[in-house]
Amino acid sequence: MPRSRTLSPHARTILAVLLDAGCQWSHGYELVRLAGVKSGTLYPLLIRLEAQGYLEAEWQPPTEGGRPPRHAYRLTASGVQLARANPPEPAVGPAPHRGRATI
């Protein structure tokens, strides 16, 4: 599916985390933690990427009794291509101090 807009830094980071996971399923909480984004940012991106065919999603049964099912995500073949073509941008840190060192 052709894209006409560039991906946001958050989308690039989420795609990179999913790319690192390979064919394993990733849950939302795990993606929040690994990508460093808030759930209000993550879930709309996941919904959009799934609708565009870059992700597949499934409900997985709980691993412990009394827990709800969890939605899990992984990249499709086109999602892998998108992630590889759009790596995260390098983090920009503070400018190095160029003044004289004081002792």
Side-chain angles (χ1 to χ4, degrees):
M1 296 180 164
R3 291 191 46 85
S4 59
R5 298 181 352 186
T6 59
L7 292 171
S8 70
H10 290 305
R12 290 171 178 260
T13 301
I14 292 164
L15 287 169
V17 169
L18 288 164
L19 185 62
D20 286 344
C23 61
Q24 295 180 2
W25 292 96
S26 298
H27 299 99
Y29 178 77
E30 176 186 15
L31 294 171
V32 164
R33 188 176 52 80
L34 293 173
V37 298
K38 296 185 181 205
S39 61
T41 300
L42 175 71
Y43 291 105
L45 276 170
L46 292 174
I47 291 167
R48 189 168 37 246
L49 290 168
E50 181 187 9
Q52 294 171 344
Y54 297 117
L55 293 182
E56 57 181 318
E58 75 172 20
W59 285 102
Q60 294 184 338
T63 56
E64 301 174 15
R67 304 287 301 185
R70 298 193 303 175
H71 219 165
Y73 307 88
R74 67 181 175 191
L75 294 173
T76 62
S78 60
V80 169
Q81 291 175 348
L82 181 68
R84 288 181 178 152
N86 294 280
E89 297 169 356
V92 178
H97 181 69
R98 297 191 190 271
R100 293 178 50 169
T102 56
I103 301 177

